[in-house]
Amino acid sequence: MIDMLSGILFIYGCCLGSFLCAAASRYATQESLLFPASHCEWCQTPLAYWQLIPGLSYWCLRGRCAYCQAPIPVDTLIAELGGGLLLTTWHGPASTQPLAWLFLWSYAAFCDARTQSFPAWVGLVNLVLAPHPITLATTLGLLLTTTAIRWGWSRWSRPWIGDGDLEFISSFGIALGPLATSRWLSLACLLALLAHWQTPHQRLPFIPALTVSAWIWWLLPGH
Ligand SMILES: [Zn+2]
């Protein structure tokens, strides 16, 4: 049975997911977070309040803009439902930091899906939020790895993996150890292969696959 707290957390999580997805769209179009008001990305018509209800509007509109009938990106729905489900797992201080970390990388994933990049500040906030055991070795490991990646990638002309992907993978590895990392990476690669099978001729952003894999492992019982 769904208790009241889970229901409230789900609604807040839907709103947060919706906000992160909208913020990523504005990162892609280089618009400010505040202006203009929410609008259709295709016809630019401002949206009415009932078209902005996270988790419900997508269903009411049947996935299309009410004015120009352009399809609303499906990751809007994934962001809202995923955000809602993630936040229902909040159990006080113990899960605050890993959840904040997952939401941070969710934002990076929405940016990566649109532009194959994400803002540099995500990597810096990652240093604070990555839920690693606070020891000198893990703190130094996280700092040195991030610095090395940033130094190396600015000098490497044709890297075969994105620096953002490697920042996420290395911080996950340092935070959660080799076993959890190998499980997480295996599922992410499977998801990426499925996505590649659907759109074989497009360059694949990997952060969304890494993030959805992290969501799934987090949501599984006994994570
Ligand atoms: Zn429209």
Side-chain angles (χ1 to χ4, degrees):
M1 200 179 105
I2 297 172
D3 60 79
M4 178 110 98
L5 179 62
S6 295
I8 292 169
L9 287 172
F10 182 79
I11 292 168
Y12 275 118
C14 282
C15 296
L16 183 55
S18 176
F19 169 74
L20 294 179
C21 194
S25 293
R26 290 183 178 231
Y27 165 73
T29 55
Q30 299 188 325
E31 286 177 301
S32 118
L33 271 183
L34 298 175
F35 303 104
S38 296
H39 54 276
C40 167
E41 288 179 30
W42 294 97
C43 64
Q44 310 298 320
T45 311
L47 302 179
Y49 71 90
W50 66 271
Q51 295 164 347
L52 291 167
I53 305 168
L56 284 181
S57 296
Y58 191 93
W59 304 105
C60 296
L61 292 161
R62 296 178 194 279
R64 292 191 172 273
C65 168
Y67 308 106
C68 70
Q69 297 300 308
I72 300 169
V74 74
D75 66 355
T76 310
L77 184 65
I78 295 172
E80 291 169 355
L81 296 182
L85 284 174
L86 280 185
L87 209 60
T88 56
T89 64
W90 183 70
H91 303 296
S95 56
T96 301
Q97 188 177 5
L99 272 175
W101 187 62
L102 282 174
F103 276 111
L104 173 77
W105 283 102
S106 303
Y107 169 70
F110 299 135
C111 293
D112 195 36
R114 287 162 175 73
T115 63
Q116 306 243 332
S117 70
F118 58 79
W121 61 259
V122 170
L124 299 176
V125 179
N126 174 59
L127 290 176
V128 180
L129 290 183
H132 62 287
I134 308 287
T135 63
L136 187 62
T138 55
T139 307
L140 269 178
L142 209 52
L143 260 174
L144 285 174
T145 314
T146 304
T147 310
I149 292 169
R150 296 208 165 188
W151 183 84
W153 259 248
S154 63
R155 284 158 181 78
W156 190 1
S157 58
R158 290 174 65 83
W160 47 267
I161 185 169
D163 52 350
D165 301 330
L166 208 60
E167 276 186 26
F168 192 10
I169 292 168
S170 58
S171 64
F172 195 104
I174 291 168
L176 298 163
L179 183 62
T181 305
S182 58
R183 284 185 193 149
W184 167 65
L185 276 179
S186 305
L187 181 58
C189 290
L190 184 66
L191 293 170
L193 279 174
L194 288 174
H196 182 67
W197 180 54
Q198 290 286 317
T199 52
H201 303 298
Q202 286 180 16
R203 194 162 169 247
L204 197 70
F206 196 36
I207 302 276
L210 291 169
T211 303
V212 172
S213 173
W215 286 9
I216 292 170
W217 284 114
W218 178 260
L219 290 169
L220 282 176
H223 59 260

